[in-house]
Amino acid sequence: MKQKMGPAATSLALLCLCSLGVCVPMGTGSAAPAQVRTSYAAYEPEVKRTRGDVPDILPEPEAEPTSPVSDFENSYNYVLSRLASMDLAIHKLNVGHYTLDVKVSQLMDRLSRMDAKVGELEDSIREVYQHSKDNRKEIGRLEGCEKGQRIGYKCYLVYNSLEDYAGASRKCIERGGRMAMPRDRKEQEALADYVKNFFHPGNWPVWLGVNDLRSEGLYLFDDGTRVTYFQWRKHFLSSQPDGGRRENCVAMSSDDGDWWDHYCDRTMNYMCEFDDRVAL
């Protein structure tokens, strides 16, 4: 004989079945099963989630509320981080500046030492140049006395090289002498014979150290002393000097030893005189 369950037992049985995923429809028209079904419907979403079903659209998380205090702290921390970065960059710049300053100091020291070395080298070069000039003068003097003509305490040498008056004077000085300056008749006659024999049988003019460049008609030797003896050419067709202000430098003719005035920029042979130290 079947025993009927009460409403409470029935509800408990249905709840257990629904929790297992099995729903049994009730055919009775009692109010209790309807209430049970209504309460079961409220649990259906939870039953689906327990089976692993995930809804298509997840709800967006609500934004956490912000406060003015937190924004200020973030800005403050950001400024602090930027200041720290700037401080590090300034430190690196100071280190680089100090390193550069040390390098510049070292470079200046080296430049100072180099400048001192250059000064010493320039002094040595000047000394060598002066020795070279002195040697060249001594060699020129020895050459003049060995190859030239000794007359009294002087040696004379004709150079078969074309120079203007200024160039001839410079060449004689570089060789340790000066342009030939016959100061009396004896020297003039000896020089005339020497020049004539040197160019024989030709006739070539030779520069002497005589000019009136300072003042017209005032003839001076190349060393600045005044000329007291002259051997101008005397001829009815061409008496010398005849150049006036245009011809201010004097040359000796090699055929007869007479003096002629010429343009100073004319190029011709020249004669130098040297001190004969052996005779002295």
Side-chain angles (χ1 to χ4, degrees):
M1 184 174 181
K2 296 181 181 179
Q3 187 178 359
K4 293 183 181 181
M5 295 188 299
T10 305
S11 298
L12 181 59
L14 290 175
L15 182 59
C16 292
L17 291 173
C18 288
S19 64
L20 295 173
V22 179
C23 295
V24 179
M26 301 297 294
T28 60
S30 61
Q35 293 177 356
V36 172
R37 283 196 301 271
T38 303
S39 62
Y40 294 160
Y43 291 97
E44 288 181 359
E46 294 180 2
V47 173
K48 291 181 180 180
R49 283 195 295 272
T50 57
R51 292 185 301 178
D53 294 337
V54 180
D56 296 336
I57 300 175
L58 296 176
E60 296 181 358
E62 296 181 359
E64 295 181 358
T66 59
S67 63
V69 177
S70 61
D71 291 339
F72 174 77
E73 290 179 352
N74 293 334
S75 300
Y76 180 73
N77 292 331
Y78 174 75
V79 171
L80 287 179
S81 64
R82 296 297 296 171
L83 289 176
S85 300
M86 291 178 63
D87 185 68
L88 180 61
I90 292 173
H91 175 70
K92 292 181 178 179
L93 183 62
N94 288 333
V95 172
H97 183 270
Y98 174 77
T99 304
L100 181 62
D101 186 66
V102 172
K103 294 292 185 182
V104 170
S105 299
Q106 294 175 352
L107 181 61
M108 292 300 295
D109 292 340
R110 292 179 181 178
L111 288 176
S112 298
R113 292 194 296 269
M114 185 179 296
D115 185 66
K117 293 293 184 181
V118 170
E120 294 176 0
L121 182 61
E122 288 178 348
D123 292 339
S124 299
I125 291 175
R126 283 192 292 268
E127 185 177 356
V128 170
Y129 178 72
Q130 185 62 42
H131 286 318
S132 177
K133 288 179 62 178
D134 295 341
N135 290 337
R136 191 161 56 245
K137 289 181 179 180
E138 185 62 21
I139 291 173
R141 187 192 67 81
L142 292 175
E143 182 185 37
C145 290
E146 289 295 327
K147 297 181 179 181
Q149 181 71 37
R150 281 187 171 89
I151 301 174
Y153 298 107
K154 296 178 183 178
C155 301
Y156 297 88
L157 180 61
V158 173
Y159 292 91
N160 192 9
S161 175
L162 300 181
E163 297 284 346
D164 59 12
Y165 185 88
S169 177
R170 183 174 61 254
K171 293 290 186 180
C172 289
I173 293 174
E174 289 176 354
R175 292 184 172 97
R178 52 197 173 271
M179 295 183 72
M181 297 178 291
R183 299 180 183 271
D184 52 33
R185 178 181 293 274
K186 182 179 180 180
E187 287 187 4
Q188 165 62 30
E189 291 177 352
L191 290 181
D193 291 339
Y194 168 56
V195 172
K196 183 176 182 179
N197 293 329
F198 187 90
F199 289 104
H200 183 77
N203 181 19
W204 298 94
V206 178
W207 283 124
L208 298 177
V210 179
N211 66 82
D212 64 343
L213 291 169
R214 183 179 299 179
S215 177
E216 177 62 27
L218 177 62
Y219 286 92
L220 302 174
F221 287 117
D222 205 39
D223 61 359
T225 58
R226 188 166 183 173
V227 180
T228 58
Y229 174 81
F230 298 91
Q231 186 64 33
W232 295 115
R233 176 179 174 81
K234 300 298 182 180
H235 195 273
F236 68 96
L237 293 178
S238 59
S239 294
Q240 299 294 315
D242 62 353
R245 295 183 179 275
R246 300 170 301 171
E247 299 177 347
N248 299 307
C249 296
V250 178
M252 175 188 289
S253 176
S254 66
D255 60 344
D256 54 13
D258 287 343
W259 294 6
W260 296 63
D261 58 348
H262 293 276
Y263 293 101
C264 295
D265 57 355
R266 179 179 175 181
T267 58
M268 60 180 69
N269 301 313
Y270 59 98
M271 180 168 48
C272 300
E273 71 176 31
F274 307 90
D275 293 331
D276 188 0
R277 297 180 182 177
V278 176
L280 292 175

